[in-house]
Each structure stands twice: as C-alpha cells, then as structure tokens.
Amino acid sequence: MKALHSNKIRDEKDAFVDELFTRLPSAARLLKSGALSAKAGRLHERFLPIHILSHYKPDRIRLDTNYFDMVVSHSIECECLFILGFYNAGMVLLRAGLEAAIKLVYYENHPIEWRLHQAGAHNLHGNQYREFLYSVPDLGDLPFVAKDILETLWTELCKFVHCDLHTVSQLSVVGDLKSVLEFEEARFAELLHRLREAGKVIVGCCFSVDPKWLVGVEKAYFDAVLDVYTAAERQAAKDRLRIS
C-alpha cells in the first residue's frame, strides 16, 4: 500500500462509497406511498412475528440461554441486508436465525449442556441439534418441522453459507447490488416463501419453550404471529404445543 499515494487511496475510497450509496434504495421509495413501500411491507410481514415475540416476551419467561436474543438480532440484520441489496449475506443470516432457534430448544432443555456450551466444552454437529428437534414431543410431530421439510430448507440455506455457485448471486462490482424489493415478482415471492418456511420453525421453537409466551397479548398481535401458518398448521400448532 505504500506505493499508492494517500490521495489516490482516498479517491478510490470515495468512488467506492459514492457508488455504494447511489445503489442503496432511498427512504422516500420505502416509506408511505413510495414506489417500493408495498413490497417493503410484504417483506416486513415475514419478520413481524419475531418482532412481536421479542416485544411481548413476558418478564416471567426466564430463558437460561441467549439464543432467542440471537434469533432477534439475526432477524433484524437479515431484513436490513435484504432491503439494502446484500442478498447473499441476508440468506446466510436467515440460516443463522433458524439455527439459533433450534439451539434455543436444545439448550433450554439441557441446562447442564448449556453451562458446558458457554465454557466451550459442548458443541454438537448441526445435524445432531436438528435430530433432537425432530424428537421433541409434540414439536417434532408438527408438519412444518417434519424432517424431510426442514432438511430441504436447511440444505437450500446452506448453499449460501458454502458458496454454492448455482445458488449464490455473483456480485462483481458495487453497481450489481440490488435490493430484493426490486426483484421481479416471481423471485421476490420465492424469497417470501422461504422466509415464511423458516419463520414457521422459529415461531414453533419459541412456543415449544413456553406455550404461554403471548398470554394476555392483544388478539391482533397474537393472530399476527400465528398467521405465519396455514389454517391447518395453525390448528396443529395450537393443539400440540398447547398454545394459549
């Protein structure tokens, strides 16, 4: 780097940052009656259940682990990345959020292992956490947690983590960045579907830890969380997890 004059580095940096901010969608296009507002609303709906579970988590819930906090953090960052155009990174965080929810169930049910895990002395292979999830009474019997369904979703998300060339969008210059809100409808709908499938598992994991998570919460918010499911899935979740 010593061969480059400091002014040259500054100019290169400025050009990079200027192009980056030129590609980012403006707030005016995202808010109120902006051109991308409707799509932004549809995207946010996919993350809303997690926001509600976070905002209305009652004080009586004393989680031993911090994995729910990780779910929330990954969710917020994931939505931000999708809106700004960092699609590949957003997909990686979607998988991270799903993984955190699965580990939430495991370590909330294994307090000794959690203490060891905090000390770096307990860490299973990813498929072992998922195998436990399938064995959890009632939760593992739900259709959206079925092994063939979840493993398919997991495999798709792992392609982004492992940089599968058939899956990962190839970005060569900053100018290639494109908000998911500017995707053609078919591709945007595919993303929403994948977010919903992951959301079903995440919400189910939370209610498995505490089926009374939303007791006393306004019905509109309660329904908004369960709207991630189809009518049949919603009934199955309420019955098997004894959600109230």
Side-chain angles (χ1 to χ4, degrees):
M1 297 299 290
K2 292 182 180 179
L4 289 177
H5 191 278
S6 58
N7 288 341
K8 177 63 175 177
I9 296 175
R10 181 201 62 202
D11 292 343
E12 290 286 344
K13 177 266 296 179
D14 288 351
F16 180 88
V17 172
D18 183 63
E19 186 174 7
L20 171 61
F21 275 84
T22 298
R23 298 301 303 174
L24 300 180
S26 67
R29 300 184 70 202
L30 299 172
L31 303 175
K32 298 181 180 179
S33 58
L36 298 177
S37 178
K39 270 191 171 180
R42 291 166 63 193
L43 179 68
H44 190 67
E45 284 179 2
R46 291 292 178 260
F47 294 94
L48 190 58
I50 298 173
H51 292 305
I52 294 173
L53 287 171
S54 175
H55 184 75
Y56 288 102
K57 184 169 75 70
D59 293 336
R60 62 171 178 74
I61 293 182
R62 293 286 185 265
L63 298 177
D64 293 326
T65 77
N66 60 359
Y67 273 112
F68 178 69
D69 293 331
M70 292 180 66
V71 168
V72 176
S73 178
H74 291 325
S75 173
I76 293 171
E77 293 178 14
C78 180
E79 183 176 3
C80 291
L81 289 172
F82 282 147
I83 291 175
L84 295 177
F86 302 99
Y87 177 74
N88 297 327
M91 295 303 290
V92 171
L93 276 176
L94 179 59
R95 197 202 80 152
L98 180 60
E99 182 177 28
I102 294 171
K103 288 184 176 180
L104 169 71
V105 174
Y106 183 88
Y107 284 113
E108 289 295 334
N109 284 280
H110 293 84
I112 301 301
E113 285 85 343
W114 169 242
R115 292 175 61 186
L116 294 172
H117 185 60
Q118 287 181 295
H122 186 276
N123 192 36
L124 302 178
H125 190 276
N127 69 324
Q128 292 175 292
Y129 290 111
R130 298 196 303 280
E131 286 297 333
F132 174 76
L133 190 74
Y134 304 135
S135 71
V136 175
D138 300 317
L139 177 63
D141 296 329
L142 292 170
F144 48 86
V145 186
K147 185 173 183 177
D148 58 332
I149 299 296
L150 182 50
E151 289 300 318
T152 298
L153 174 62
W154 186 259
T155 299
E156 287 299 310
L157 295 178
C158 282
K159 291 178 181 178
F160 291 90
V161 175
H162 302 304
C163 299
D164 186 300
L165 293 180
H166 297 292
T167 304
V168 175
S169 297
Q170 298 302 298
L171 300 178
S172 56
V173 295
V174 176
D176 288 334
L177 290 175
K178 186 177 183 180
S179 170
V180 300
L181 304 177
E182 297 187 51
F183 285 179
E184 60 183 32
E185 180 57 32
R187 188 181 181 195
F188 184 64
E190 180 183 349
L191 170 62
L192 293 183
H193 174 73
R194 189 170 285 168
L195 287 170
R196 184 174 187 178
E197 293 306 298
K200 290 178 182 179
V201 182
I202 293 172
V203 170
C205 287
C206 292
F207 278 123
S208 174
V209 170
D210 192 321
K212 296 184 178 180
W213 194 298
L214 293 180
V215 166
V217 172
E218 185 179 338
K219 186 178 186 300
Y221 290 110
F222 179 85
D223 290 343
V225 172
L226 294 185
D227 275 348
V228 70
Y229 302 121
T230 65
E233 291 169 342
R234 186 182 309 119
Q235 193 58 56
K238 292 176 71 173
D239 291 344
R240 292 186 180 279
L241 298 179
R242 296 172 293 282
I243 298 173
S244 57

